[in-house]
Amino acid sequence: MNQDVLEKDLLRPPTRSALDELTSVPGVQPAPRRHAQRASKNVRIAIVHDWLVTYAGAEKVLEQIIACFPDADLFSLVDFLDDRSFLRGKPVTTSFIQKLPLARSKYRSYLPLMPLAIEQLDVSAYDVVISSSHAVAKGILTGPDQVHISYVHSPIRYAWDLQHQYLQQSKLTNGPKSALARLILHYMRNWDIRTSNSVDGFVANSAFIARRIRKVYQRDAQVIFPPVDVDAFTLCTNKEDFYLTASRMVPYKKIDLIVEAFAQMPERRLVVIGDGPEMAKVRAKAGPNVEIMGYQPFEVLKDRMSRAKAFVFAAEEDFGISVVEAQACGTPVIAYGKGGALETVRDLSEPKPTGMFFDEQDTDSIIAAVNRFDEVAHRLLPENCRGNAERFSAAHFRERFFSLVRASVPALRTATLPAYTPYRPGAPSAANVPRILAVDQSGVLGGAELSLLEIVKALRSRIEVVLFDDGPFNTALAKAGVEVTVLDAGALKNVRKQGGSLPKGQALKGLISLVRATARRARKVDVIYANTQRAMVIGAVAGKLARRPVVWHLRDIVSAEHFGGKQLAIIKWCARLGLTHVIANSAASAQAFAKLTQFDSGRIDVVFNGIAAEPFDALRAVPQAVLRERLNLPRDAFLVGSFSRLARWKGQHVLLEAMVLNPQMHAVLVGAALFGEDQYESELRSFVAAHELGGRVHFLGFQHDIAACMCAVDAVVHTSITPEPFGRVIVEGMLAQRPVVASRAGGVLEIIDDYQNGVLCTPGDAHALADTLAELRSNGDLREKLVKNGYRTAQERFGTRSYVDGVAQILTGVAAR
């Protein structure tokens, strides 16, 4: 079985193909037992491919399957790719063959081990398994509650109808090696039939292969032609006087027959592009009218294919990608009338023909077909060839394949096909980041939690979340389809960052319990991602126990203004003990942390929070009066909105003092006292009563729809009296297209350019705030300028895509180290 043909040709992946409409062949049907799956379930998908060693036909299909399901995980027997761009940077789980001697160059020699190897790949944690198979991938082991859909490029050719042909070509028709080869192929056939029973639905790359599937497995298959990159080719109507054939020179491609036929037609010119083991044989048959160019880069192939008067194809191919590519150039086809060509070429009997067929694989048939071509060439219009090829586009393939999988999996019934975006190397996606354990202390939806939610939505297939408290945040995470575990924090809930006693007794017991529970989960992931300060403490210790790196997303300015002395000491201790890397939400946060801990600056990165614009853009057509009526706010007043939890350092009292000085304005306070700050809320309400502001100050409490609240007001204020780590509210106000006034300190200075995209005021200065708000109310031009520039700033500097990419890239780098 070590013959070159068996190693390089018999296990040859099929050539890439194109896409067509689903045929009427009965196929994938959802199993009744799975109808009970919840539509809201986060569906985990695994994609299994035979082997990854090159970028050929089967890999073109794999590329588009990944585009349909970008969050899926990828499995393969071996992975020896150099250019991984078509995998969008995905990591690949491989089998034990990957580590066997000479596997990179001789992986085909391990054919007898491949059934065992594919069965050792563990996909039991997935709801849906998609196999891309021309050899053994369809034999992956799946359970009764998993849906397995197999896209079959071909049943194992050399084990079935082409066995005798391959044995002859490999000179294995007699002797001990022949007996061994036949025994192995017999074993492969038995295994191939047995494993076909575990496939829920077959998809074939052509009706030709669907008939093979029916013959071999006694199963029906739907047909979805593989994708062709027709956009890479352009229509050319000016044809020159030469014919073209292009292929790898292996026996079944029959290039030698085409060359021999043209050698007998010296008046006709043939150009041959390609290389392979049959090259010497081909050259020996070539006459002076045959130009053999050997291997050529794509641009040369495209040029010759565009200018040729016809493309000649003599193989019995499963599909035949080059046939479609030629038509994409407007070049008609002269093809052997068997296999996939019958499905991709419209012959002369059809209204808009794109080619013609010959009946036998011999020189006489080829000569007769070429002679007849001259008589009918006027009917084979380039425009019709191009139109036929466009049926097989990659976009068409994605639509058909995604629809088929969605129809087969009840939990995907409401899913939509992801928008196709070209792969950008270096920009991690949901599929190429490591496995993450995100840890957060809170169940409420504060700024830190909203920022984490954006990460979770983008990376949900690779992320698990642990919370130390239940609440609205858990509900939002569940809605996003992520796995969430809520651990009981016990007495630790009462520990605040502003200070207080360290946990003792029951609290210490709760601390140990949280660390152990977090460490258990951390052993299943690659990196711990701590989103809050208390989560960082637990994560740092758990990371030591689980031997996993810990990344803290720092969303605070760690200074005495925000933290108690004991809490600052704990942060310093954790930085030395267990933090691998720190992501800061602003330069101000990063500088304060570095100053406190003397942490290596090379392990601190600044990534600005990303805020989605969609909730705000969705309200553009909604009249402000409608929003005010919904929130029970006065219709005609000038409303100034404050959006934050009610806490003294957030400075809502400064806004109320400014309202005393500004009788023409109303204040809208959106937020609640979340962390034991009820006394502060009482003080605010007492101030309102004492100054008779009840008709002009509106306490809305906690609100889910922040976008609607912001769009209901006329201006957004940010009144923190101590430096703010970032200032999410400021960016949200910009996205709501409202002028923003903010305190001149901390991370705010990294967002606002004074009087360009917002206005800065001295923290705690109610008189300055009142004057600024009065100016805004009276100056429409200023408001318009701030709104226009602010929206641009929010879109360009604080978008969710750059935020998610930045965090994902850091987590990937940390896990790799």
Side-chain angles (χ1 to χ4, degrees), residues 38-58:
R38 294 183 295 109
S40 61
K41 180 182 178 183
N42 180 31
V43 180
R44 296 198 66 193
I45 299 175
I47 301 173
V48 185
H49 192 67
D50 287 303
W51 48 73
L52 292 165
V53 295
T54 188
Y55 184 50

Side-chain angles (χ1 to χ4, degrees), residues 232-557:
F233 299 86
T234 54
L235 174 64
C236 177
T237 57
N238 296 320
K239 303 300 181 182
E240 300 180 14
D241 189 21
F242 70 91
Y243 297 80
L244 174 73
T245 188
S247 172
R248 178 163 170 75
M249 294 184 185
V250 291
Y252 88 97
K253 293 289 189 179
K254 306 297 183 183
I255 303 297
D256 60 317
L257 287 181
I258 299 174
V259 170
E260 185 177 346
F262 273 85
Q264 297 178 38
M265 297 182 288
E267 72 282 8
R268 306 185 192 280
R269 181 183 168 211
L270 174 69
V271 174
V272 182
I273 294 178
D275 201 352
E278 294 270 289
M279 175 62 88
K281 182 178 180 181
V282 169
R283 286 190 182 279
K285 293 185 176 184
N289 64 320
V290 177
E291 179 185 3
I292 299 177
M293 300 181 66
Y295 169 80
Q296 295 295 323
F298 173 76
E299 289 302 322
V300 175
L301 172 64
K302 176 182 174 181
D303 173 69
R304 299 301 191 276
M305 196 172 271
S306 298
R307 295 191 286 116
K309 65 189 301 184
F311 183 81
V312 186
F313 187 78
E316 181 182 344
E317 186 63 89
D318 301 334
F319 182 78
I321 179 61
S322 56
V323 170
V324 179
E325 290 175 336
Q327 293 175 84
C329 297
T331 301
V333 177
I334 304 171
Y336 176 47
K338 287 191 72 174
L342 292 173
E343 302 170 57
T344 57
V345 178
R346 291 172 174 162
D347 71 5
L348 296 169
S349 65
E350 298 192 45
K352 295 181 178 180
T354 63
M356 54 182 294
F357 299 116
F358 53 92
D359 297 328
E360 302 293 336
Q361 283 179 312
D362 57 39
T363 55
D364 289 341
S365 293
I366 295 173
I367 291 171
V370 172
N371 287 332
R372 189 182 178 210
F373 176 83
D374 283 344
E375 301 172 8
V376 300
H378 65 282
R379 295 178 55 194
L380 305 174
L381 303 180
E383 294 80 3
N384 292 340
C385 293
R386 174 70 188 188
N388 185 47
E390 287 176 348
R391 295 189 298 137
F392 308 105
S393 69
H396 198 180
F397 172 87
R398 290 193 298 272
E399 292 170 5
R400 294 293 180 179
F401 189 77
F402 185 85
S403 295
L404 182 144
V405 175
R406 181 175 57 191
S408 305
V409 182
L412 289 176
R413 291 293 168 82
T414 60
T416 56
L417 177 64
Y420 182 77
T421 55
Y423 173 66
R424 293 181 293 120
S429 69
N432 60 22
V433 299
R435 294 167 298 170
I436 304 163
L437 180 68
V439 187
D440 194 290
Q441 69 197 39
S442 179
V444 302
L445 273 171
E449 287 69 37
L450 289 170
S451 293
L452 175 58
L453 190 59
E454 293 297 335
I455 298 292
V456 167
K457 288 177 180 177
L459 308 178
R460 59 180 175 270
S461 68
R462 307 294 294 170
I463 199 165
E464 176 187 348
V465 179
V466 167
L467 302 180
F468 299 159
D469 198 4
D470 204 353
F473 186 34
N474 185 17
T475 303
L477 289 168
K479 186 177 180 181
V482 71
E483 183 179 348
V484 182
T485 302
V486 179
L487 303 177
D488 185 9
L492 286 177
K493 294 179 182 178
N494 300 319
V495 179
R496 303 295 172 205
K497 68 182 183 180
Q498 285 81 9
S501 300
L502 291 176
K504 297 178 181 178
Q506 289 298 111
L508 184 59
K509 182 179 179 181
L511 175 66
I512 295 172
S513 176
L514 286 180
V515 169
R516 287 177 174 173
T518 304
R520 280 197 301 271
R521 287 160 178 80
R523 292 186 180 97
K524 302 177 183 178
V525 302
D526 302 302
V527 61
I528 299 173
Y529 175 51
N531 191 54
T532 49
Q533 185 258 340
R534 198 186 314 156
M536 179 273 294
V537 175
I538 302 297
V541 182
K544 279 294 181 183
L545 293 177
R547 298 183 178 180
R548 294 295 185 272
V550 180
V551 176
W552 183 21
H553 203 135
L554 174 62
R555 305 183 188 276
D556 291 296
I557 293 179

